[in-house]
Amino acid sequence: MQFKILALSTVVLVSSLSAALIRAAPPTSDPQVDITSPADRSRLPWQSQGSYAVTISYDGKSTRFDEIPSSDVLLATSFVPDTDAPAARRAAPLPQALADITRSNCMGCHDFNASSGGPSFAAIGKRYAGQPAAAATLAAHIRDGSRGAWGSGSMPPHPDLAPAQAGAIANWILTHGTDPAVRYYVGKSGSFRMITPGKPGPRAGLVLSAYYTGPLTSGGTRNAVGRNVVVVMGTGS
Amino acid sequence: MERRTFLKTVAAGLGASMIGSEALAQTAPGSRPAKKVVVAGAGITGLCCAYELMQRGIDVTVLEASGRYGGHVYTGHDGLSDGLFADYGADHLTNPGYEQFFRYVDAFGLKVVPYPNAEGSPLPANNGQMTMIGGKFYSETMLADPATQRALGFNDREIAFLASHPWYELPALFLADHLARFHDASGPFGNGCDDLDAIDLDALYARQGASQRARDYLGGQHVNALYGVWRLAVMLDRGIPLSEGETFHLEGGNEEMPKAFAARLGARVKLAHPITAIQRDATGVTVSYTAYGRDEPQTVRADYVVNCISLPVFRRIPVTPALSPAKQYVVDNLTYSSHPFFVFEAETKFWLDDGFQTLAMSFEHPDISQIWVVPETAKSSRVILKAFGPAGVSPQRVLAAFRELYPGKRDTIVQALTWDWSKDPFAPTCEMEPFAPGTLKQFWPEIMKPDGRLYFAGTYADALSRGMESCVRSAARVAQEIADA
């Protein structure tokens, strides 16, 4: 009897220890990012629109149940001349400036390539292109707000962004905002465009890369696991 | 549609409405099957358009992505005491200027309440409006004094004009010649002012001899000058004064209007049914959507689709075949305003203790530009104030700015709230911003036209984009166009 109690206690102890160890084990440090649509190596005509859908799980939370907000999902589409090239399969690391753009309230009024409540990043990049003080001017607008630069609307100040972060965002807008080969879309689902910067060859297509831009837990990284890159081949011309 | 026919329909405007024609909702026996229409979005435009289609006997379904209807017309009660409420989106109506809207008010038995000084609109003379210029507050009496005007920088011609006109009539001083040329306000072009498309309104004011002070007051930088003149011409045509008319809101809040439309549409309105794709062919349109809580897409077939979703949200929906390049330009380049209202609840009318008749003040602070009083919305000694500030700023920061600037002793504000539209995924935008110089040719009349079987209605799709009135006017116009198609 004593043995049985001892054995039972041991089992309980081992179970408790296992449970404690499981609880204490650090969660996976990388977000699980899956592009559920479009299918990899699917085909779409150039200039058409396609649908995309992304699910992200991280730190026990999921976009499926809105525990991770849709605004924490960023999709980048990059034109590649050859979808069979190994480089087409690699997602470029997410610049911190882009994570800051989506985590601050920028996307509430701005879009990357189209007008919204404010000018697109592409339009801002185009207006300030080649101006030596542009980065400093934009960084000041981001930090302190501005009024009348694009019409009657006003941009609020962003004290949540450190000067270095505002500077990095300004630089990103100036250097990448007008890149005709890349487009960005925020949200766990929506549409993307089969845009080509020039006449596409027969093996050209778009590489779709999805990112989690939300907050990271201690030790977490933005290195996604899962199907975070798919290739869509363009058809027609 | 032929351009001439299209413009004729546009010009018909109010005549297109079929309010209250309940008998017409039935399809006559033996007639061809009713047209089927999907309306995308259950904001005030979508609901009004669906109502007008229903009145014409057309089979209509409204698909709304959000779990509530009304979109940017939103009356909020949360956080306020005594049953008080505030409109966080569409703020007021005007008379004149809301003729179509008032038809629905009458037809549905709604009531309007006078709402003077709404969004800082002009009060009758000597009602206590205070304006901050260069860090100093000016009363209306001070601003009417020629010596003050001269010190502020107005020129002789402007001072002579202001002796018999309020400040808000200054555009008439500079644009009278251009307005006189506008013989057909149904469109901007062909009225002898087409060259103004290339410049901004500020440059036109400067060309017309406006002082820098007048230009600062009037604004107009980055605003297409032809659009600015055309807008005033349409206002003139519709009998809307430069004061913008008397201001009102609906008893119970402006959301009473979407509620009235929705009540009549019943089960035709499907909430939490986001559209995921629109596919068009020669005979109709297939709309894909998901029903609330379900992942698998469903489809509905219709003869026509009316997009009543604001364009920045609409462009997330893939359309196949793609829109024409001209329409895509409009969808990608129309700029909207998106400003929040900041709502303060005060225990008393504290400004009376400081000798102010009312609280109607404009400021030069980056966090607050205007504050005004909302008429009583519930039996309460408490009072609701509304303020303008930029999107993304917290209400506490706006309140702090007000407290820094208010020239009285103390306030009795106990609550500061807002609805941050910039974070609203379904209705983030308000009205359209004026077109930029050099772009009007690309927008007009494309902005009003259908793209195949896909029609467009919304605050931007009327000759005068002006609050809820342009929403319901464009909705009724499109309903008539589809009935005629």
Side-chain angles (χ1 to χ4, degrees):
Chain A
M1 186 67 179
Q2 273 185 340
F3 172 74
K4 276 187 181 172
I5 290 171
L6 184 63
L8 191 64
S9 303
T10 306
V11 168
V12 169
L13 184 64
V14 168
S15 305
S16 304
L17 273 173
S18 305
L21 281 171
I22 288 166
R23 276 199 292 274
T28 175
S29 59
D30 297 330
Q32 173 88 30
V33 179
D34 286 306
I35 301 175
T36 57
S37 172
D40 193 24
R41 303 204 70 78
S42 54
R43 292 174 174 276
L44 275 177
W46 289 114
Q47 312 309 327
S48 71
Q49 285 183 303
S51 299
Y52 78 86
V54 176
T55 61
I56 291 182
S57 305
Y58 179 61
D59 193 28
K61 302 182 179 74
S62 170
T63 48
R64 181 173 158 73
F65 304 108
D66 291 338
E67 296 153 333
I68 294 175
S70 181
S71 56
D72 283 353
V73 182
L74 180 73
L75 184 85
T77 66
S78 310
F79 173 84
V80 286
D82 183 357
T83 48
D84 293 328
R89 288 276 155 199
R90 282 197 287 272
L94 181 74
Q96 186 57 40
L98 266 178
D100 289 342
I101 281 174
T102 55
R103 289 187 61 195
S104 186
N105 61 0
C106 309
M107 301 309 297
C109 298
H110 298 282
D111 203 341
F112 287 92
N113 295 92
S115 295
S116 185
S120 68
F121 294 137
I124 296 169
K126 196 173 164 190
R127 178 187 281 190
Y128 289 95
Q131 297 181 22
T137 303
L138 276 185
H141 285 184
I142 293 166
R143 281 276 297 165
D144 307 329
S146 69
R147 186 174 293 186
W150 291 85
S152 61
S154 57
M155 166 136 156
H158 291 83
D160 56 312
L161 292 168
Q165 287 175 301
I169 290 173
N171 274 319
W172 186 89
I173 291 170
L174 291 168
T175 51
H176 297 282
T178 55
D179 185 345
V182 187
R183 291 206 167 200
Y184 300 90
Y185 305 89
V186 172
K188 63 182 181 182
S189 62
S191 70
F192 67 96
R193 302 216 189 134
M194 292 294 291
I195 300 289
T196 164
K199 189 169 170 56
R203 295 205 299 208
L206 294 187
V207 176
L208 276 55
S209 313
Y211 301 91
Y212 166 68
T213 62
L216 293 173
T217 56
S218 175
T221 76
R222 297 200 183 280
N223 300 325
V225 294
R227 201 171 68 117
N228 64 322
V229 178
V230 301
V231 169
V232 178
M233 290 173 286
T235 60
S237 58
Chain B
M1 186 184 298
E2 289 286 326
R3 185 170 185 272
R4 188 179 296 172
T5 313
F6 166 71
L7 292 176
K8 210 169 135 191
T9 313
V10 171
L14 299 180
S17 175
M18 296 194 72
I19 302 165
S21 310
E22 306 289 348
L24 293 169
Q26 306 299 321
T27 307
S31 63
R32 62 179 180 162
K35 289 173 184 167
K36 190 170 170 59
V37 176
V38 168
V39 170
I44 188 168
T45 306
L47 293 170
C48 176
C49 190
Y51 171 79
E52 288 287 348
L53 289 163
M54 179 183 79
Q55 294 298 97
R56 289 162 172 81
I58 291 172
D59 178 1
V60 62
T61 301
V62 185
L63 297 177
E64 164 59 43
S66 158
R68 64 170 277 273
Y69 56 76
H72 223 82
V73 183
Y74 170 52
T75 305
H77 292 76
D78 287 359
L80 297 171
S81 310
D82 299 342
L84 293 164
F85 58 81
D87 279 305
Y88 285 94
D91 179 73
H92 65 273
L93 11 153
T94 70
N95 184 29
Y98 265 60
E99 284 69 29
Q100 175 84 353
F101 192 92
F102 271 100
R103 288 182 179 201
Y104 296 117
V105 168
D106 293 341
F108 301 155
L110 302 175
K111 290 189 177 137
V112 297
V113 177
Y115 176 16
N117 199 218
E119 292 195 54
S121 55
L123 284 168
N126 301 317
N127 266 271
Q129 221 153 358
M130 301 285 284
T131 306
M132 183 180 266
I133 303 172
K136 181 183 166 187
F137 280 108
Y138 291 82
S139 67
E140 287 163 284
T141 312
M142 292 161 78
L143 292 177
D145 181 353
T148 306
Q149 293 164 1
R150 191 171 304 283
L152 287 172
F154 285 109
N155 62 32
D156 289 344
R157 183 172 162 232
E158 292 159 355
I159 292 169
F161 180 84
L162 292 174
S164 53
H165 297 85
W167 282 34
Y168 57 75
E169 288 185 4
L170 272 170
L173 173 63
F174 305 115
L175 305 178
D177 293 347
H178 295 89
L179 288 170
R181 281 186 236 161
F182 250 89
H183 55 86
D184 178 11
S186 67
F189 297 107
N191 288 291
C193 300
D194 293 5
D195 58 320
L196 297 182
D197 187 19
I199 61 169
D200 73 11
L201 199 50
D202 180 57
L204 180 58
Y205 287 134
R207 191 193 285 177
Q208 297 294 98
S211 66
Q212 188 59 53
R213 169 57 64 190
R215 290 165 60 190
D216 290 346
Y217 170 74
L218 293 167
Q221 285 189 321
H222 309 296
V223 173
N224 187 298
L226 179 55
Y227 173 72
V229 173
W230 174 41
R231 186 179 173 82
L232 291 177
V234 180
M235 285 175 63
L236 203 64
D237 202 44
R238 296 188 189 174
I240 305 169
L242 288 168
S243 68
E244 301 275 352
E246 290 183 65
T247 47
F248 302 85
H249 66 174
L250 292 182
E251 186 178 87
N254 291 334
E255 202 170 320
E256 291 301 309
M257 184 59 81
K259 282 162 69 177
F261 282 128
R264 285 154 182 81
L265 288 162
R268 294 175 180 87
V269 180
K270 312 285 187 197
L271 299 179
H273 280 53
I275 294 175
T276 54
I278 296 171
Q279 188 133 20
R280 310 175 293 166
D281 57 47
T283 59
V285 188
T286 302
V287 178
S288 303
Y289 63 95
T290 52
Y292 183 61
R294 294 170 182 273
D295 287 334
E296 68 278 10
Q298 301 179 48
T299 59
V300 58
R301 182 81 176 161
D303 297 302
Y304 303 96
V305 169
V306 186
N307 174 57
C308 300
I309 304 170
S310 67
L311 298 181
V313 178
F314 167 74
R315 63 178 175 245
R316 299 182 63 80
I317 300 170
V319 178
T320 310
L323 298 172
S324 69
K327 182 58 84 178
Q328 193 68 59
Y329 177 89
V330 171
V331 170
D332 284 350
N333 290 283
L334 190 71
T335 305
Y336 286 80
S337 66
S338 180
H339 60 77
F341 289 111
F342 294 90
V343 172
F344 300 154
E345 178 187 315
E347 290 177 324
T348 60
K349 294 178 178 175
F350 58 86
W351 54 90
L352 297 177
D353 297 338
D354 294 316
F356 297 112
Q357 285 173 267
T358 185
L359 190 65
M361 296 181 176
S362 65
F363 309 108
E364 297 171 314
H365 195 284
D367 293 336
I368 187 170
S369 58
Q370 208 108 36
I371 192 164
W372 64 95
V373 182
V374 179
E376 185 179 85
T377 56
K379 285 283 171 216
S380 173
S381 58
R382 296 168 188 274
V383 60
I384 298 294
L385 312 172
K386 282 176 87 171
F388 262 144
V393 171
S394 82
Q396 298 306 325
R397 196 176 281 275
V398 178
L399 176 57
F402 171 70
R403 286 180 166 158
E404 182 188 323
L405 299 168
Y406 176 60
K409 292 187 295 292
R410 61 179 284 273
D411 65 72
T412 59
I413 294 169
V414 293
Q415 181 71 288
L417 303 166
T418 194
W419 182 264
D420 188 350
W421 291 106
S422 70
K423 292 197 174 101
D424 187 311
F426 306 110
T429 53
C430 184
E431 290 181 280
M432 59 164 269
E433 284 277 287
F435 301 113
T439 65
L440 194 45
K441 264 206 164 63
Q442 286 144 295
F443 281 104
W444 183 266
E446 190 61 44
I447 197 165
M448 311 268 279
K449 287 165 71 174
D451 193 274
R453 291 175 176 272
L454 181 52
Y455 285 69
F456 291 83
T459 180
Y460 59 88
D462 186 69
L464 182 66
S465 174
R466 193 170 179 273
M468 294 181 284
E469 175 70 2
S470 44
C471 296
V472 294
R473 286 178 74 106
S474 68
R477 171 180 61 78
V478 165
Q480 187 61 47
E481 286 173 14
I482 288 176
D484 292 342

